[in-house]
Amino acid sequence: MPDAHPKHPAIPASAGVGLKPVHYETILSERPDIGWFEVHAENYMGAGGPPHRYLEKIRASYPLSIHGVGLSLGGDEPPDADHMARLCRLVDRYEPGLVSEHLAWSRHDGGFLNDLLPIPYTKERLARLCEHVDRLQSALNRKVAIENPSTYVAFDAEDMRETDFLSALTQRTGCGLLLDVNNVYVSAVNHGWDAATYIAAFPMGSVAEIHLAGHASDTDDFGAPLLIDAHDRAVADPVWRLFKDVLTRTGPRPTLIEWDNDVPEWPVLYDEAVRANALLAEAASTDMKAMSHAG
């Protein structure tokens, strides 16, 4: 698959935030110094109305990324043709710099579930997922980035680790990856494995975008820690530390602050982006020093 067409403005290797209706007016009146915005595709699949009027104005001033949540790429069935056609029209309309989707399923036997459900990491499931990703990239005529999940259960019958599964997916389809650092930390705590070890094994060369988000803390029925990928609060300190580790391996990448629930006032969200930008600038400086010494 080709990279983004030149008419699709590139997403800068800086911090962006998820675009929320509560912030439309603030963004248009204040024109904040933010690198880019990301929207959930399904929120803009109608033909018109206020969402599009605002998005068109904001898109005229900022690069845009489109993040899908409903294609069910990990399911048994091929992506819904009507849903994919709506996504294609949205991408054609706004020419985003990045398009991404989830490593999950949410549709079965004609019914839709309001969740992103996990898949087993098996050779059979990998083959099916590759078919679906190929179909999506062919329809869009561009690469997409697939996001690693946050998980709460594990399957007994699996052929490979998640990182190996994602690596194989990129090799077979040419797709990119969206590395959600919060999802890594949530899954690590829930399953009792080491997040840093996962990051060391992740196919970093395929990372097109990074997500940061907040999580809620709970306990399971046995009293063990249980984290929920809630997207309703600030990024936790362990996730910031893991993000710094990621940047030592990738260098600066477009980094999104995800805050989808209990959305705060604009200054709170903007401060999270400022913190991410400080770490991105530090990573860029480290890269420049390393190149200078190498020269």
Side-chain angles (χ1 to χ4, degrees):
M1 274 300 113
D3 286 319
H5 189 279
K7 71 179 180 179
H8 306 139
I11 303 297
S14 63
V17 300
L19 180 62
K20 302 302 174 188
V22 69
H23 298 143
Y24 285 160
E25 295 290 356
T26 299
I27 292 164
L28 289 174
S29 63
E30 298 181 6
R31 303 289 177 175
D33 182 17
I34 197 80
W36 53 288
F37 289 99
E38 184 162 282
V39 298
H40 287 170
E42 286 72 14
N43 291 335
Y44 295 88
M45 284 186 171
H52 283 290
R53 287 200 298 271
Y54 281 107
L55 186 57
E56 285 169 355
K57 292 177 182 179
I58 291 169
R59 172 66 184 84
S61 299
Y62 296 93
L64 184 69
S65 172
I66 291 180
H67 188 49
V69 298
L71 271 180
S72 190
L73 293 177
D76 289 329
E77 304 166 4
D80 180 77
D82 290 339
H83 192 114
M84 193 155 60
R86 289 191 292 271
L87 176 61
C88 289
R89 288 194 293 270
L90 186 66
V91 169
D92 287 343
R93 180 172 184 172
Y94 289 102
E95 300 176 352
L98 286 168
V99 178
S100 55
E101 247 288 354
H102 290 82
L103 181 66
W105 66 277
S106 56
R107 186 169 64 92
H108 180 69
D109 197 24
F112 290 84
L113 302 170
N114 188 28
D115 209 340
L116 296 168
L117 299 168
I119 66 174
Y121 299 129
T122 64
K123 294 181 176 65
E124 179 182 6
R125 183 57 52 180
L126 174 63
R128 185 66 55 85
L129 177 65
C130 288
E131 291 175 6
H132 298 168
V133 171
D134 281 340
R135 184 173 300 203
L136 174 60
Q137 293 187 137
S138 294
L140 293 172
N141 193 32
R142 59 187 291 163
K143 289 176 65 170
V144 298
I146 303 300
E147 178 181 345
N148 60 292
S150 58
T151 57
Y152 310 92
V153 297
F155 296 91
D156 288 332
E158 292 192 325
D159 299 327
M160 60 191 82
R161 301 178 303 173
E162 182 173 288
T163 50
D164 294 332
F165 187 92
L166 288 167
S167 180
L169 174 66
T170 64
Q171 291 169 16
R172 293 192 190 185
T173 67
C175 74
L177 296 176
L178 193 169
L179 173 53
D180 190 310
V181 181
N182 184 65
N183 286 358
V184 173
Y185 184 74
V186 165
S187 296
V189 171
N190 290 345
H191 300 300
W193 41 259
D194 182 60
T197 300
Y198 178 101
I199 291 299
F202 199 86
M204 293 296 176
S206 297
V207 173
E209 181 182 342
I210 296 171
H211 275 188
L212 301 172
H215 58 258
S217 299
D218 204 340
T219 55
D220 65 17
D221 292 342
F222 303 99
L226 175 67
L227 301 185
I228 308 297
D229 183 32
H231 293 193
D232 63 352
R233 65 198 70 197
V235 179
D237 286 342
V239 177
W240 284 117
R241 291 194 291 269
L242 199 59
F243 176 51
K244 290 183 68 174
D245 183 14
V246 168
L247 292 180
T248 65
R249 302 169 187 276
T250 62
R253 291 287 188 277
T255 299
L256 183 80
I257 302 296
E258 279 193 299
W259 200 321
D260 298 322
N261 302 304
D262 296 334
V263 178
E265 296 295 322
W266 173 257
V268 177
L269 186 60
Y270 182 75
D271 283 348
E272 290 286 277
V274 169
R275 184 171 180 180
N277 266 331
L279 295 176
L280 288 162
E282 181 181 316
S285 176
T286 300
D287 282 355
M288 290 296 293
K289 289 177 181 177
M291 292 173 61
S292 175
H293 290 320

